[in-house]
Amino acid sequence: MLGQALALAAAALPVAAHAQAADTAAMTAQAEAMHKLDWMHGKWRGEARMQMPGGKELVVTHTERVGTLLGGTITLIEGKSFGADGKVPFNAFAVVSYDPAAKAFAMASHTGGRSGSFAMTVTDKGYAWEVPAGPDARVRYQASFDGTTWTETGDFLAGGRPPRPFFRMTLKRVGDSDWPMAGSMTRD
């Protein structure tokens, strides 16, 4: 009985091992696609302006840190704002990935108790993505990099009306970052 169990387990090993094998072609395509976001890597700081409910404008110092994981096949982004009082009114985390079969980027975004995965258009010097915002409404974010400045805007679009701007950040790169790899686990 034990011999049969060991034989079955041995026969199953190649199947289990195959299930764990990396798809190196997909990983190569993912890492290659992620190079379009290389300009983002590092630490950034600048100003962000947001239109709040009631028409009040919130102006904050905004930071971003960007790096890769999984051999460069995904890009991680943390955005964090600081008010004049030192409080953090905004903190977000996102994972950008690329699906080589669909030839499409996606952003999984998390902030303020909300999360979602959204289609993303990526170019060599920018990106755009949209978030549903109700019936016949959406929020569109567009970013560009001109060689020194990362600018991102947010517009509310609804019912065929002209876009209503509500967000603008302007950031300058302030340095390299070893995030998120710093402090990762080692074998020993």
Side-chain angles (χ1 to χ4, degrees), residues 86-140:
K87 292 183 180 174
V88 177
F90 176 80
N91 195 197
F93 178 76
V95 178
V96 177
S97 60
Y98 179 76
D99 180 344
K103 297 188 182 336
F105 287 88
M107 176 187 284
S109 175
H110 308 268
T111 185
R114 294 179 293 284
S115 64
S117 186
F118 310 99
M120 185 177 188
T121 302
V122 176
T123 66
D124 290 333
K125 297 295 179 184
Y127 57 85
W129 59 292
E130 294 185 352
V131 178
D136 196 30
R138 64 193 190 286
V139 172
R140 177 182 61 207

Side-chain angles (χ1 to χ4, degrees), residues 48-51 62 141 152-155 165-169:
R49 295 177 169 270
M50 296 167 260
Q51 296 299 315
H62 187 73
Y141 294 96
E152 185 168 337
T153 59
D155 295 302
F166 71 91
F167 171 78
R168 180 177 184 83
M169 77 175 191

Side-chain angles (χ1 to χ4, degrees), residues 14-16 34 36 49 59 66 71 76 79 81 95 104 119 124 139 148 152 156 160 162 169 172 183 185:
V15 173
M34 283 297 127
K36 287 186 172 185
R49 295 177 169 270
V59 180
V66 181
L76 279 62
S81 294
V95 178
D124 290 333
V139 172
T148 60
E152 185 168 337
F156 180 75
M169 77 175 191
K172 298 284 186 184
M185 294 297 294

Side-chain angles (χ1 to χ4, degrees), residues 5-102:
L6 289 175
L8 284 172
L13 275 177
V15 173
H18 179 71
Q20 297 298 316
D23 182 343
T24 56
M27 292 172 65
T28 298
Q30 291 166 336
E32 186 176 309
M34 283 297 127
H35 284 305
K36 287 186 172 185
L37 299 176
D38 283 353
W39 63 267
M40 296 175 71
H41 295 181
K43 298 177 190 176
W44 299 78
R45 181 177 292 113
E47 180 182 86
R49 295 177 169 270
M50 296 167 260
Q51 296 299 315
M52 305 305 288
K56 182 180 177 197
E57 183 177 59
L58 176 64
V59 180
V60 296
T61 297
H62 187 73
T63 64
E64 298 274 342
R65 62 180 175 162
V66 181
T68 65
L69 271 180
L70 304 178
T73 62
I74 60 172
T75 297
L76 279 62
I77 306 166
E78 182 192 27
K80 191 173 189 179
S81 294
F82 299 90
D85 59 2
K87 292 183 180 174
V88 177
F90 176 80
N91 195 197
F93 178 76
V95 178
V96 177
S97 60
Y98 179 76
D99 180 344

